[in-house]
Amino acid sequence: MSTSHGAAAIAPDTARATGRALRLVEREWRLSPAAWEEIGELLAELSAAVAAGDTETVDELTAELEISGDRRVTLIGAGPDGPAPEDDGKGPLPEPLRERVVALIHSVDPEPGTGGEQYAGPGAGDG
């Protein structure tokens, strides 16, 4: 039942980088529905690579994931009063993909206490 079988063969630095990228997807990304579909396909490939313990492919897919979020473009286009107008129609990670992202995070970091995982979910620490 453990999800760490493939992750055990992944280099620790790749596992950490992948976990960080996935946490950003979960917490911060806002994309169009079409972009989320593309991310879903990328997540399926990433999941297969993690399960296979293929560090090289996981590393490549993590890099692809990092540039897929258009976060850099949004930040450059953001004015002093908030995000650029082209942010319209974008939304947070859809629930079915969220479940896949969380499962992948646990696959690459099966012992969250060792990876510095402190995020407790939406609204955590608010108040």
PDB file of all heavy atoms in Angstrom, residues 8 17 22 44 55-56 102-103 111:
ATOM      1  N   ALA A   8      11.501   5.700  -3.814  1.00  0.00           N
ATOM      2  CA  ALA A   8      12.748   5.288  -3.179  1.00  0.00           C
ATOM      3  C   ALA A   8      13.894   5.324  -4.175  1.00  0.00           C
ATOM      4  O   ALA A   8      15.030   5.554  -3.794  1.00  0.00           O
ATOM      5  CB  ALA A   8      12.596   3.897  -2.579  1.00  0.00           C
ATOM      6  N   ALA A  17      12.700  18.770  -5.212  1.00  0.00           N
ATOM      7  CA  ALA A  17      12.321  19.763  -6.223  1.00  0.00           C
ATOM      8  C   ALA A  17      10.911  19.490  -6.750  1.00  0.00           C
ATOM      9  O   ALA A  17      10.112  20.421  -6.930  1.00  0.00           O
ATOM     10  CB  ALA A  17      13.330  19.758  -7.373  1.00  0.00           C
ATOM     11  N   LEU A  22       5.117  20.814  -6.938  1.00  0.00           N
ATOM     12  CA  LEU A  22       3.731  20.365  -6.768  1.00  0.00           C
ATOM     13  C   LEU A  22       3.002  21.175  -5.701  1.00  0.00           C
ATOM     14  O   LEU A  22       1.819  21.482  -5.847  1.00  0.00           O
ATOM     15  CB  LEU A  22       3.697  18.875  -6.427  1.00  0.00           C
ATOM     16  CG  LEU A  22       4.098  17.936  -7.563  1.00  0.00           C
ATOM     17  CD1 LEU A  22       4.358  16.535  -7.034  1.00  0.00           C
ATOM     18  CD2 LEU A  22       3.044  17.928  -8.664  1.00  0.00           C
ATOM     19  N   ALA A  44      -0.140  13.083 -15.147  1.00  0.00           N
ATOM     20  CA  ALA A  44      -0.225  11.646 -15.425  1.00  0.00           C
ATOM     21  C   ALA A  44       1.147  11.094 -15.810  1.00  0.00           C
ATOM     22  O   ALA A  44       1.553  10.025 -15.336  1.00  0.00           O
ATOM     23  CB  ALA A  44      -1.248  11.391 -16.528  1.00  0.00           C
ATOM     24  N   THR A  55      14.278   8.802 -12.216  1.00  0.00           N
ATOM     25  CA  THR A  55      14.710  10.115 -11.760  1.00  0.00           C
ATOM     26  C   THR A  55      14.879  11.104 -12.902  1.00  0.00           C
ATOM     27  O   THR A  55      14.455  12.257 -12.803  1.00  0.00           O
ATOM     28  CB  THR A  55      16.035  10.015 -10.967  1.00  0.00           C
ATOM     29  OG1 THR A  55      15.787   9.243  -9.795  1.00  0.00           O
ATOM     30  CG2 THR A  55      16.563  11.369 -10.563  1.00  0.00           C
ATOM     31  N   GLU A  56      15.488  10.676 -13.991  1.00  0.00           N
ATOM     32  CA  GLU A  56      15.743  11.578 -15.111  1.00  0.00           C
ATOM     33  C   GLU A  56      14.436  12.128 -15.686  1.00  0.00           C
ATOM     34  O   GLU A  56      14.298  13.329 -15.906  1.00  0.00           O
ATOM     35  CB  GLU A  56      16.544  10.867 -16.199  1.00  0.00           C
ATOM     36  CG  GLU A  56      16.926  11.786 -17.343  1.00  0.00           C
ATOM     37  CD  GLU A  56      17.798  11.081 -18.372  1.00  0.00           C
ATOM     38  OE1 GLU A  56      18.502  10.123 -18.028  1.00  0.00           O
ATOM     39  OE2 GLU A  56      17.747  11.512 -19.546  1.00  0.00           O
ATOM     40  N   VAL A 102      -1.815  15.954  -4.548  1.00  0.00           N
ATOM     41  CA  VAL A 102      -1.547  15.544  -3.164  1.00  0.00           C
ATOM     42  C   VAL A 102      -0.960  14.132  -3.136  1.00  0.00           C
ATOM     43  O   VAL A 102       0.000  13.861  -2.407  1.00  0.00           O
ATOM     44  CB  VAL A 102      -2.822  15.656  -2.304  1.00  0.00           C
ATOM     45  CG1 VAL A 102      -2.640  14.999  -0.949  1.00  0.00           C
ATOM     46  CG2 VAL A 102      -3.220  17.113  -2.134  1.00  0.00           C
ATOM     47  N   ALA A 103      -1.505  13.239  -3.934  1.00  0.00           N
ATOM     48  CA  ALA A 103      -0.975  11.870  -3.992  1.00  0.00           C
ATOM     49  C   ALA A 103       0.468  11.872  -4.486  1.00  0.00           C
ATOM     50  O   ALA A 103       1.320  11.143  -3.948  1.00  0.00           O
ATOM     51  CB  ALA A 103      -1.845  11.000  -4.886  1.00  0.00           C
ATOM     52  N   GLU A 111       7.505  10.713   3.837  1.00  0.00           N
ATOM     53  CA  GLU A 111       7.644  11.083   5.248  1.00  0.00           C
ATOM     54  C   GLU A 111       7.685  12.597   5.329  1.00  0.00           C
ATOM     55  O   GLU A 111       8.754  13.194   5.402  1.00  0.00           O
ATOM     56  CB  GLU A 111       8.918  10.469   5.824  1.00  0.00           C
ATOM     57  CG  GLU A 111       8.914   8.957   5.769  1.00  0.00           C
ATOM     58  CD  GLU A 111      10.225   8.366   6.259  1.00  0.00           C
ATOM     59  OE1 GLU A 111      10.865   8.996   7.118  1.00  0.00           O
ATOM     60  OE2 GLU A 111      10.584   7.309   5.778  1.00  0.00           O
TER      61      GLU A 111
END
